[in-house]
Amino acid sequence: MSPPEPTLRDRSPWRELLRLAEPRGGGAALLDALARELLERSGLDSLALYVEDGGELRRGVQSGSASFPVRAEAPQAGGHGSYEVPGGLLLYEPPAVAASELDHQALLTLLCAVQAAELRNQLKRQSFAANFRGVELQSLYDVGLAIAGTLELEELGDEVLLRAVSLLDARVGALYLFDGEAYELDRTFGGKARQRIEPEDPGLLALLAAEDGGASLLPGTAHPLGVPIEADGKRLGLLVVADKESRTGVGPFAGADRRMLGLFANQAAIALENAHLHRQALEKERLERELDLAADIQRQLLPKELPEVEGFEFAGWSRPARHVGGDYYDVRLADDGGVHLVLGDVSGKGMPAALLVSTLHSALRLLLSARPFDAQLVERANRHIADASASNKFITMLAAKLDPASASLSYVNAGHNPPLLVRRAGAVEELPPGGMPLGIFADATYSLGGIELDSGDVLCIFSDGITECETPMGEEFGPERLTELLLRVADQPLPEMIRAIDQAVVEFAAGGPQGDDQTVVLLRRS
């Protein structure tokens, strides 16, 4: 038979209690010893001491054979003796013992020990929760790094969904991307999902509010959890998981899981934004390469050098408003010794205009090499452009042929700006138009005009990007300013005249954007 446990009435009572109170000692053994001491000192058979825990009284220690509830209410009914103590309640047997007969010193010692034990347990729980939270945050951080390093949208979608399912131990998951009107299903894991969800869908609203009704989004699931993927208030997508798996089976998600999924969705939003920006940057880079290539091709359409014809000088210059433009010019020797001059201006700017420039270039090269220059040649070019272009596209064009022997110039003006002929005597003449722009009416007819060039005369053919150049206040350069400029520089070499025109329109725009392509072709009889 084992000896009885020591009490405070033993010869060395404090020695055993101090041993039990050491940090390495048994906390439960100390409470048992103090409880037995209170029983002996107060003449009790059994007792249970309760402490406050979240507004309730929870049993902190029990001694004796009587049965006491895990939680208690004050005052206590049910046949036990009761005594309220600071921050707790004592229930004891037999109830006949009066509260005044209790050994209050032993009771106070036991109470302090129980409260200290509860404080230690609370600190342990908080420490465990903090450590667990740290593990969660580390996992979230690791997941965030993994998805942040993925810039391909297709690969990123897989990463986001699989990481979300793994992070929350979910059985089913679905990732939706917002297309501007609704959430469109991007991919699923472990089950089926609705293909498209409107932002005001009742099931979605219930899901986001953590209410019943969200299970309809993932058929066959019982416990869905969903959070939006947003960046700066902008909808990017939706992340939905369902049915948390554990050793005991499938069940609902805890409140911490919703918080965790929300934090992960914030990281997914950043990753999706980065992936979108990366894709846009790649697309922009691709377009810029294509535009550079198109600009190189278009530059190949312009003459690399102008013909040398005794008694005449030629110069040409073009500056597109964008990478590629809708202006085109050519100065080329004909088989009979004449010189063909062309300046065309396609409506609009950019790539569509540049494509039509290529069409015009090919058509004129073929026609000018196959038949004499006349109004019918332009009519055939018009039919070709009308067949090859959209209904809202057209080309204004001035096409001419110089006969060096007679110093005569035959021309057809298809809705283009009237060229300016600066006579050596100081007079300026306009060459009148001779028909509709190319491509508007397939059966349009044109007329042939002609002029004689005297020594020192200069012919200026230009696109409307010159005369319609604007100041920041909207004032146009206009044909009058161009006429005055030509009169001032008419005796200078043709390259100097072009530089003067260039400088004049640039200064007139005063730093404003170039609104249209600018092209000039000059012809002088020496």
Side-chain angles (χ1 to χ4, degrees):
M1 181 175 179
S2 60
E5 292 290 334
T7 69
L8 290 176
R9 291 182 178 176
D10 290 337
R11 184 172 180 180
S12 303
W14 291 107
R15 182 179 302 170
E16 179 64 17
L17 291 176
L18 288 173
R19 182 185 68 78
L20 294 176
E22 290 179 356
R24 294 187 300 273
L30 174 62
L31 294 180
D32 288 342
L34 290 174
R36 286 194 300 273
E37 189 68 27
L38 178 59
L39 287 176
E40 183 176 344
R41 284 176 173 267
S42 302
L44 301 177
D45 296 332
S46 302
L47 65 83
L49 184 60
Y50 297 80
V51 292
E52 290 185 358
D53 179 20
E56 296 182 316
L57 291 171
R58 187 171 60 81
R59 190 176 64 201
V61 65
Q62 176 177 332
S63 184
S65 59
S67 176
F68 296 98
V70 175
R71 296 186 180 275
E73 297 181 0
Q76 176 68 23
H80 301 297
S82 65
Y83 180 59
E84 293 188 33
V85 295
L89 175 70
L90 176 69
L91 298 184
Y92 58 87
E93 291 285 350
V97 177
S100 59
E101 299 176 10
L102 299 175
D103 188 315
H104 289 78
Q105 182 178 7
L107 175 59
L108 180 59
T109 303
L110 176 61
L111 178 62
C112 291
V114 169
Q115 290 179 335
E118 287 299 313
L119 181 59
R120 285 196 300 271
N121 291 334
Q122 183 179 1
L123 290 175
K124 287 181 180 179
R125 291 193 297 270
Q126 290 177 347
S127 177
F128 176 80
N131 291 336
F132 182 74
R133 182 64 174 160
V135 171
E136 283 186 326
L137 292 177
Q138 182 63 44
S139 300
L140 190 62
Y141 176 75
D142 294 340
V143 169
L145 285 181
I147 64 174
T150 306
L151 293 176
E152 294 296 332
L153 277 172
E154 187 67 24
E155 183 180 347
L156 178 61
D158 286 335
E159 281 285 342
V160 168
L161 183 55
L162 292 178
R163 297 277 183 174
V165 169
S166 175
L167 194 63
L168 276 78
D169 297 321
R171 183 176 62 84
V172 181
L175 174 65
Y176 290 83
L177 297 180
F178 193 69
D179 63 6
E181 296 181 356
Y183 295 100
E184 190 72 26
L185 181 64
D186 183 68
R187 64 199 67 223
T188 61
F189 175 86
K192 297 181 179 180
R194 287 252 301 273
Q195 183 63 37
R196 188 174 175 83
I197 305 173
E198 300 294 330
E200 302 303 322
D201 184 282
L204 174 60
L205 297 179
L207 178 71
L208 299 181
E211 299 173 352
D212 293 336
S216 62
L217 305 183
L218 299 179
T221 64
H223 308 288
L225 176 65
V227 294
I229 303 175
E230 298 178 340
D232 296 328
K234 173 186 174 184
R235 291 185 178 126
L236 297 179
L238 179 68
L239 196 52
V240 187
V241 295
D243 297 349
K244 186 178 183 70
E245 294 183 316
S246 65
R247 294 179 179 178
T248 59
V250 171
F253 294 94
D257 292 326
R258 174 175 291 276
R259 182 176 62 254
M260 177 69 72
L261 188 61
L263 293 173
F264 176 72
N266 292 338
Q267 294 182 322
I270 296 173
L272 285 172
E273 279 285 86
N274 290 340
H276 281 300
L277 291 174
H278 178 67
R279 172 174 286 188
Q280 291 173 5
L282 292 179
E283 181 66 14
K284 181 180 179 182
E285 183 179 346
R286 182 187 66 81
L287 290 175
E288 287 177 349
R289 287 197 304 267
E290 292 182 356
L291 286 173
D292 289 339
L293 177 60
D296 289 340
I297 294 173
Q298 191 173 44
R299 281 191 289 270
Q300 297 300 317
L301 302 181
L302 302 179
K304 296 181 178 60
E305 56 183 28
L306 302 184
E308 295 182 2
V309 178
E310 186 177 355
F312 293 89
E313 302 171 46
F314 306 94
W317 167 79
S318 183
R319 178 170 56 209
R322 300 178 182 173
H323 273 74
V324 292
D327 280 7
Y328 164 75
Y329 79 90
D330 198 6
V331 181
R332 181 172 293 272
L333 281 173
D335 293 338
D336 59 4
V339 180
H340 293 129
L341 299 94
V342 177
L343 196 156
D345 183 358
V346 178
S347 62
K349 295 178 287 294
M351 190 64 72
L355 293 175
L356 198 50
V357 163
S358 299
T359 302
L360 175 64
H361 168 80
S362 302
L364 288 178
R365 284 291 181 89
L366 290 173
L367 289 171
L368 289 172
S369 64
R371 56 172 296 124
F373 178 79
D374 53 19
Q376 286 71 41
L377 179 145
V378 177
E379 289 172 1
R380 295 187 64 174
N382 172 62
R383 286 195 292 273
H384 180 75
I385 296 299
D387 291 340
S389 63
S391 59
N392 62 340
K393 286 292 180 183
F394 60 87
I395 304 173
T396 67
M397 183 185 71
L398 190 290
K401 184 177 182 182
L402 171 68
D403 181 2
S406 62
S408 62
L409 185 79
S410 303
Y411 68 91
V412 176
N413 189 337
H416 198 71
N417 303 306
L420 299 176
L421 177 61
V422 182
R423 296 293 187 179
R424 185 175 185 181
V428 178
E429 302 173 10
E430 286 188 350
L431 277 60
M436 298 286 293
L438 305 182
I440 295 180
F441 298 111
D443 56 354
T445 59
Y446 298 87
S447 59
L448 189 68
I451 57 172
E452 301 290 332
L453 296 175
D454 297 327
S455 296
D457 289 351
V458 177
L459 178 67
C460 177
I461 310 170
F462 59 92
S463 66
D464 58 9
I466 299 294
T467 53
E468 293 180 3
C469 171
E470 293 183 348
T471 67
M473 301 301 293
E475 180 184 2
E476 289 191 351
F477 189 78
E480 295 81 8
R481 284 188 176 86
L482 179 59
T483 301
E484 294 173 0
L485 175 62
L486 291 173
L487 287 171
R488 288 199 305 271
V489 299
D491 59 345
Q492 296 182 12
L494 295 189
E496 294 298 327
M497 292 183 66
I498 285 183
R499 276 193 286 271
I501 295 172
D502 178 17
Q503 181 180 355
V505 295
V506 169
E507 291 179 354
F508 187 79
Q514 182 179 335
D516 200 358
D517 307 320
Q518 298 172 346
T519 305
V520 175
V521 173
L522 297 180
L523 162 64
R524 171 187 281 152
R525 182 178 179 186
S526 304

